Amino acid sequence: MIRSIFAVNTIVYLQMPVKQQRKLDHCLNCGKPLPERENYCPNCGQENKDEKVPVGIFIEELLTSLFSFDGRFLQTLAAFFFQPGKLTKSFNEGHRKKYTHPIRLYLVFSLFYFFMIGFLIPKDFFDRILNAGQPTNMPTYQEIIKQQSGEPGPADSARIEEALRKAVEIQSEHFSNESPEDTSTYRQNYSWKALRFLSIDPAVSTEKFGHALDSSAYTFDVGLSLQKKRDLVAHSNLFLIQVAKNLPLMMLLLLPFFAFFIHLLYANRSVFYMENLILGFHLHAFAYAIYGIVILLMFFGGIQSGWLIVGAFVLVTSYAYLALLKIYRQHWFKTLIKFWILGGLYLAVLLSGMAGELYLSLLLL
């Protein structure tokens, strides 16, 4: 179906006057001279069109070449990893046959990165983090929640109900008169494991669960109803999975903002917006590749050093700076200032996007 549509578009395009087709007298990809009416380069096969990557042509080229790989991929990897900005510069100058398409490259490494996150990070990662800070002086009623325990029985529920009743009484009599230091100590009475137990127990009302949550160190208020808070505690692992699923889409939606910030910073360079978007695809693909490799080293290589993450961050940021330096050819200090501004703007958008994505995942629980 797609090929038929493209075939019709090609026929219509070839019926246009030569001056509207904007033919060139040489091939942008290999530089060979071309006859005036030549539609394709006889040397390398690239279509003879003078264009600055308009959106329609960009999408057409993407769909026709997205899901196929050839020998160019290995050639692309060498320039991708060791020559910052080269792929973007080559693509924007018309060298489209020599290297893999930018979006295909982006998809490959984004899938690699998010696969590493989804496959290697434990599904109960959220609970492990919160249980790691569990206080050692836990009340007796929390001992009923053990690693090997199954579904809670009636006796367990009765003990939890009694503990909740006592907690409510203590809160009503003493909580309002406690100092901030005492309040902090009091909030340690309910561990995350105990809250999970209470949240999934149908015998515990939502109101009583709210009292338990408020008297713990895990109380939070982000505009959610008490029932939604209970759902979050009960399905915290599902929440983490939901966040991981939404993350690739969020990052893809933020890419146009990244390209727009570059467009503003280099508005005097007569560069098309789509050319900046191509740079965004390449930079994000490189970040996905490096961080994906770091996750592999941490889980399979047994390397748990924080310096590995710091090194990856320095490598990614240095790569982005060198790419800007190569493509826009401005003084290194001026490029550095623009790079800092770009980083600050994109960080603000990224944090806002992450907050929105987390909130959306909460609502979808």
Short mmCIF file of all heavy atoms in Angstrom, two decimals, residues 226-253:
data_model
loop_
_atom_site.label_atom_id
_atom_site.label_comp_id
_atom_site.label_asym_id
_atom_site.label_seq_id
_atom_site.Cartn_x
_atom_site.Cartn_y
_atom_site.Cartn_z
N LEU A 226 -7.42 9.84 48.03
CA LEU A 226 -6.91 8.81 48.93
C LEU A 226 -6.97 7.43 48.29
O LEU A 226 -6.08 6.60 48.49
CB LEU A 226 -7.72 8.82 50.24
CG LEU A 226 -7.24 7.88 51.35
CD1 LEU A 226 -5.78 8.14 51.67
CD2 LEU A 226 -8.11 8.03 52.59
N GLN A 227 -8.00 7.20 47.49
CA GLN A 227 -8.12 5.92 46.81
C GLN A 227 -6.99 5.72 45.80
O GLN A 227 -6.45 4.63 45.66
CB GLN A 227 -9.48 5.81 46.11
CG GLN A 227 -9.73 4.47 45.43
CD GLN A 227 -9.67 3.30 46.39
OE1 GLN A 227 -10.29 3.33 47.46
NE2 GLN A 227 -8.91 2.28 46.04
N LYS A 228 -6.63 6.80 45.09
CA LYS A 228 -5.52 6.72 44.14
C LYS A 228 -4.20 6.46 44.87
O LYS A 228 -3.34 5.73 44.37
CB LYS A 228 -5.43 8.01 43.32
CG LYS A 228 -6.32 8.03 42.09
CD LYS A 228 -5.87 6.98 41.09
CE LYS A 228 -6.75 6.98 39.85
NZ LYS A 228 -6.33 5.93 38.90
N LYS A 229 -4.04 7.07 46.03
CA LYS A 229 -2.83 6.81 46.82
C LYS A 229 -2.76 5.35 47.23
O LYS A 229 -1.70 4.72 47.20
CB LYS A 229 -2.80 7.71 48.05
CG LYS A 229 -2.63 9.20 47.75
CD LYS A 229 -2.62 10.01 49.03
CE LYS A 229 -2.47 11.49 48.74
NZ LYS A 229 -2.46 12.30 49.98
N ARG A 230 -3.91 4.82 47.62
CA ARG A 230 -3.95 3.41 48.00
C ARG A 230 -3.62 2.51 46.80
O ARG A 230 -2.89 1.53 46.93
CB ARG A 230 -5.32 3.06 48.56
CG ARG A 230 -5.42 1.62 49.04
CD ARG A 230 -6.71 1.36 49.79
NE ARG A 230 -6.74 0.02 50.35
CZ ARG A 230 -7.64 -0.41 51.21
NH1 ARG A 230 -8.60 0.41 51.64
NH2 ARG A 230 -7.60 -1.66 51.68
N ASP A 231 -4.15 2.87 45.63
CA ASP A 231 -3.85 2.10 44.42
C ASP A 231 -2.36 2.14 44.10
O ASP A 231 -1.78 1.14 43.66
CB ASP A 231 -4.65 2.65 43.24
CG ASP A 231 -6.14 2.40 43.38
OD1 ASP A 231 -6.51 1.49 44.16
OD2 ASP A 231 -6.93 3.11 42.72
N LEU A 232 -1.75 3.31 44.31
CA LEU A 232 -0.31 3.43 44.04
C LEU A 232 0.50 2.52 44.96
O LEU A 232 1.41 1.83 44.50
CB LEU A 232 0.13 4.89 44.22
CG LEU A 232 1.65 5.13 44.16
CD1 LEU A 232 2.21 4.70 42.81
CD2 LEU A 232 1.96 6.59 44.44
N VAL A 233 0.17 2.52 46.24
CA VAL A 233 0.90 1.67 47.18
C VAL A 233 0.66 0.20 46.87
O VAL A 233 1.59 -0.62 46.89
CB VAL A 233 0.49 1.99 48.63
CG1 VAL A 233 1.16 1.04 49.61
CG2 VAL A 233 0.83 3.44 48.97
N ALA A 234 -0.57 -0.14 46.54
CA ALA A 234 -0.91 -1.54 46.27
C ALA A 234 -0.27 -2.04 44.98
O ALA A 234 0.10 -3.21 44.86
CB ALA A 234 -2.43 -1.71 46.21
N HIS A 235 -0.14 -1.14 43.99
CA HIS A 235 0.36 -1.55 42.68
C HIS A 235 1.61 -0.76 42.30
O HIS A 235 1.76 -0.31 41.17
CB HIS A 235 -0.72 -1.35 41.61
CG HIS A 235 -2.04 -1.97 41.94
ND1 HIS A 235 -2.22 -3.33 41.97
CD2 HIS A 235 -3.24 -1.42 42.29
CE1 HIS A 235 -3.48 -3.60 42.31
NE2 HIS A 235 -4.11 -2.46 42.50
N SER A 236 2.48 -0.58 43.26
CA SER A 236 3.68 0.23 43.01
C SER A 236 4.56 -0.37 41.92
O SER A 236 5.16 0.35 41.12
CB SER A 236 4.48 0.39 44.30
OG SER A 236 4.79 -0.88 44.86
N ASN A 237 4.64 -1.70 41.87
CA ASN A 237 5.45 -2.33 40.83
C ASN A 237 4.82 -2.13 39.45
O ASN A 237 5.52 -1.93 38.46
CB ASN A 237 5.61 -3.82 41.12
CG ASN A 237 6.43 -4.07 42.37
OD1 ASN A 237 7.37 -3.33 42.65
ND2 ASN A 237 6.07 -5.07 43.16
N LEU A 238 3.49 -2.20 39.40
CA LEU A 238 2.79 -1.93 38.15
C LEU A 238 3.01 -0.49 37.71
O LEU A 238 3.12 -0.20 36.52
CB LEU A 238 1.29 -2.22 38.31
CG LEU A 238 0.41 -2.02 37.08
CD1 LEU A 238 0.84 -2.95 35.96
CD2 LEU A 238 -1.06 -2.24 37.44
N PHE A 239 3.08 0.41 38.68
CA PHE A 239 3.34 1.82 38.38
C PHE A 239 4.70 1.98 37.71
O PHE A 239 4.84 2.72 36.74
CB PHE A 239 3.28 2.63 39.68
CG PHE A 239 3.79 4.03 39.56
CD1 PHE A 239 3.08 4.99 38.85
CD2 PHE A 239 5.00 4.40 40.13
CE1 PHE A 239 3.54 6.28 38.73
CE2 PHE A 239 5.46 5.69 40.02
CZ PHE A 239 4.73 6.63 39.32
N LEU A 240 5.71 1.27 38.22
CA LEU A 240 7.04 1.35 37.63
C LEU A 240 7.03 0.83 36.20
O LEU A 240 7.67 1.41 35.31
CB LEU A 240 8.04 0.55 38.47
CG LEU A 240 9.49 0.59 38.01
CD1 LEU A 240 10.04 2.00 38.12
CD2 LEU A 240 10.34 -0.37 38.84
N ILE A 241 6.31 -0.25 35.95
CA ILE A 241 6.20 -0.80 34.59
C ILE A 241 5.51 0.20 33.67
O ILE A 241 5.90 0.40 32.52
CB ILE A 241 5.44 -2.13 34.62
CG1 ILE A 241 6.23 -3.17 35.41
CG2 ILE A 241 5.16 -2.64 33.21
CD1 ILE A 241 5.50 -4.48 35.65
N GLN A 242 4.47 0.85 34.18
CA GLN A 242 3.73 1.83 33.39
C GLN A 242 4.62 3.02 33.03
O GLN A 242 4.59 3.52 31.90
CB GLN A 242 2.51 2.32 34.18
CG GLN A 242 1.53 3.18 33.39
CD GLN A 242 0.78 2.38 32.36
OE1 GLN A 242 0.41 1.25 32.59
NE2 GLN A 242 0.55 2.98 31.20
N VAL A 243 5.44 3.45 33.98
CA VAL A 243 6.37 4.54 33.72
C VAL A 243 7.36 4.15 32.63
O VAL A 243 7.66 4.93 31.72
CB VAL A 243 7.11 4.95 35.01
CG1 VAL A 243 8.26 5.90 34.70
CG2 VAL A 243 6.14 5.60 35.99
N ALA A 244 7.90 2.93 32.73
CA ALA A 244 8.87 2.46 31.73
C ALA A 244 8.25 2.37 30.34
O ALA A 244 8.91 2.66 29.34
CB ALA A 244 9.41 1.09 32.15
N LYS A 245 6.97 2.02 30.27
CA LYS A 245 6.29 1.92 28.97
C LYS A 245 6.08 3.30 28.36
O LYS A 245 6.16 3.46 27.13
CB LYS A 245 4.94 1.21 29.13
CG LYS A 245 5.05 -0.29 29.35
CD LYS A 245 3.67 -0.90 29.46
CE LYS A 245 3.76 -2.42 29.64
NZ LYS A 245 2.42 -3.04 29.77
N ASN A 246 5.78 4.29 29.18
CA ASN A 246 5.49 5.63 28.67
C ASN A 246 6.74 6.45 28.39
O ASN A 246 6.67 7.45 27.67
CB ASN A 246 4.62 6.39 29.68
CG ASN A 246 3.25 5.77 29.85
OD1 ASN A 246 2.74 5.11 28.95
ND2 ASN A 246 2.64 5.96 31.01
N LEU A 247 7.88 6.03 28.94
CA LEU A 247 9.10 6.81 28.81
C LEU A 247 9.57 6.99 27.36
O LEU A 247 9.93 8.12 26.97
CB LEU A 247 10.20 6.18 29.66
CG LEU A 247 11.43 7.04 29.93
CD1 LEU A 247 11.03 8.34 30.62
CD2 LEU A 247 12.44 6.28 30.79
N PRO A 248 9.59 5.96 26.52
CA PRO A 248 10.04 6.17 25.13
C PRO A 248 9.19 7.19 24.38
O PRO A 248 9.72 8.04 23.65
CB PRO A 248 9.91 4.77 24.50
CG PRO A 248 9.96 3.82 25.65
CD PRO A 248 9.32 4.53 26.79
N LEU A 249 7.87 7.13 24.58
CA LEU A 249 6.99 8.08 23.90
C LEU A 249 7.24 9.50 24.40
O LEU A 249 7.27 10.45 23.61
CB LEU A 249 5.53 7.69 24.12
CG LEU A 249 4.48 8.62 23.52
CD1 LEU A 249 4.65 8.72 22.00
CD2 LEU A 249 3.07 8.15 23.88
N MET A 250 7.47 9.65 25.71
CA MET A 250 7.73 10.97 26.25
C MET A 250 9.00 11.57 25.67
O MET A 250 9.04 12.73 25.27
CB MET A 250 7.84 10.89 27.78
CG MET A 250 8.00 12.25 28.45
SD MET A 250 8.90 12.17 30.01
CE MET A 250 10.57 11.91 29.44
N MET A 251 10.05 10.76 25.58
CA MET A 251 11.32 11.26 25.05
C MET A 251 11.18 11.64 23.58
O MET A 251 11.77 12.63 23.13
CB MET A 251 12.40 10.20 25.22
CG MET A 251 12.77 9.92 26.67
SD MET A 251 13.33 11.39 27.57
CE MET A 251 14.76 11.87 26.59
N LEU A 252 10.40 10.87 22.83
CA LEU A 252 10.19 11.20 21.42
C LEU A 252 9.43 12.51 21.28
O LEU A 252 9.72 13.32 20.39
CB LEU A 252 9.43 10.06 20.74
CG LEU A 252 9.22 10.19 19.23
CD1 LEU A 252 10.55 10.27 18.50
CD2 LEU A 252 8.39 9.03 18.69
N LEU A 253 8.46 12.75 22.16
CA LEU A 253 7.68 13.99 22.11
C LEU A 253 8.51 15.20 22.52
O LEU A 253 8.21 16.33 22.11
CB LEU A 253 6.45 13.87 23.02
CG LEU A 253 5.39 12.86 22.59
CD1 LEU A 253 4.27 12.80 23.61
CD2 LEU A 253 4.82 13.20 21.22
#
